[in-house]
Amino acid sequence: DERFQNALDWLSEDLKHFISPPSTENADLILEIHSSDEKGVPGKTHRALFQTKMCKAYGFFKRLCVYDEHHQILLNNSRQATLWGRDPHHTYEIAWTFLISMICEKIEKKQHWLRIHALGLSHPQGRVVYLAPSGGGKSFLAAQAMQNQGRILSDEILWTDGKRFYPFPLRIALKNDSCEKLKLTSERKFSRKFFESKNLFSFESHRISPAMETQIVFLGSQGRNFSLKPADIIDRLQFYWLASLGLGLP
């Protein structure tokens, strides 16, 4: 459907640092997108297994995630899913969230790494990890660091094996006031149904930091009175404990 071509282009830009040559033979995940106007949307026949902010999930072996009557995802098996949508922006938001969730799930199973909602960046003066909930300034600090010779692993999702942190580069999303403070012109406005709309910014591969070790971990909080508290050297057990406190974990 031509209406969804923009959504596919946006997804390609979001995931450009992960994309390999097109092939369905060895793909870990295949997502088909269809218009809910053209193809029948599967109905739900059982009570929901669980509910999130975005959807209700039904079924065991074939998982159906219902966002509304026109936007649903059917996960046929561990590597093939079908998305029905009507609004291109809403469809893109659902596809992005679903793909990131599935990619992270596969990394967790294959690598046995811990996923953390945090910012990781390196700079000629040092390397830092910053754990904070949504609204804690991670994306702002990432964009600011890249304006000052910094490189980032991610401003959203970090991976760790307990010794090192690994990159997961996604486009940086900033609020309007952050763009004004940093004097940045938005590439595209990300209009979201379930979360606050933000401005998206791409960055080139040379801005991605390689896997790194660090003993500097900051803990931040959300709110107008922005706070940034340095933690002492945190060993592996302490780090896992802090992460489990719910500091914005996906």
Side-chain angles (χ1 to χ4, degrees), residues 97 114 148 178:
T97 305
L114 175 68
N148 294 276
S178 296

Side-chain angles (χ1 to χ4, degrees), residues 3 5 12 20 23 51 58 74 100 138 142 150 161 190 206 209:
R3 291 179 300 168
Q5 186 57 51
S12 296
S20 57
S23 172
Q51 181 175 350
Y58 301 83
L74 179 64
I100 296 300
K138 298 185 299 296
D161 59 5
F190 183 9
H206 71 274
S209 172

Side-chain angles (χ1 to χ4, degrees), residues 218-233:
F218 288 96
L219 306 179
S221 62
Q222 182 181 12
R224 289 186 177 182
N225 298 320
F226 177 77
S227 64
L228 189 64
K229 299 179 181 179
D232 292 329
I233 296 175

Side-chain angles (χ1 to χ4, degrees), residues 12 14-21 100 103 107 159 167-170:
S12 296
D14 290 333
L15 302 173
K16 70 177 182 179
H17 297 298
F18 302 90
I19 293 177
S20 57
I100 296 300
I103 291 171
I107 291 175
W159 294 96
F168 195 80
L170 298 169

Side-chain angles (χ1 to χ4, degrees), residues 2 49 85 115 132 139 180 182 206:
E2 293 182 359
L49 288 177
R115 181 185 2 167
S139 298
E180 294 174 2
L182 296 171
H206 71 274

Side-chain angles (χ1 to χ4, degrees), residues 60-207:
F60 288 96
F61 301 106
K62 288 189 175 182
R63 179 66 48 80
L64 177 66
C65 298
V66 179
Y67 298 84
D68 58 40
E69 61 178 321
H70 301 297
H71 298 86
Q72 302 180 17
I73 287 181
L74 179 64
L75 185 60
N76 299 308
N77 49 55
S78 61
R79 69 182 294 266
Q80 188 168 14
T82 305
L83 166 59
W84 286 268
R86 173 175 287 184
D87 177 78
H89 293 277
H90 192 188
T91 300
Y92 160 72
E93 180 183 5
I94 293 171
W96 186 93
T97 305
F98 174 78
L99 286 171
I100 296 300
S101 177
M102 293 299 295
I103 291 171
C104 289
E105 181 179 318
K106 291 182 180 297
I107 291 175
E108 288 172 341
K109 289 181 178 179
K110 288 187 176 182
Q111 301 293 342
H112 304 291
W113 290 346
L114 175 68
R115 181 185 2 167
I116 304 164
H117 189 195
L119 161 68
L121 61 86
S122 63
H123 189 271
Q125 295 181 353
R127 294 163 291 181
V128 172
V129 169
Y130 171 47
L131 286 85
S134 297
K138 298 185 299 296
S139 298
F140 180 86
L141 290 173
Q144 191 176 49
M146 286 196 290
Q147 288 181 332
N148 294 276
Q149 302 180 336
R151 296 194 292 172
I152 69 168
L153 291 103
S154 177
D155 70 322
E156 183 69 20
I157 298 171
L158 279 187
W159 294 96
T160 182
D161 59 5
K163 297 179 180 179
R164 308 180 77 196
F165 295 92
Y166 297 89
F168 195 80
L170 298 169
R171 277 202 279 188
I172 293 178
L174 295 172
K175 299 176 182 178
N176 290 333
D177 58 343
S178 296
C179 295
E180 294 174 2
K181 290 177 182 177
L182 296 171
K183 299 181 180 179
L184 292 173
T185 303
S186 175
E187 297 175 5
R188 184 172 67 81
K189 187 78 172 181
F190 183 9
S191 301
R192 302 191 290 182
K193 179 177 180 179
F194 298 105
F195 302 96
E196 181 181 359
S197 297
K198 291 187 176 181
N199 303 282
L200 294 179
F201 297 90
S202 302
F203 51 90
E204 299 305 319
S205 57
H206 71 274
R207 290 294 189 183

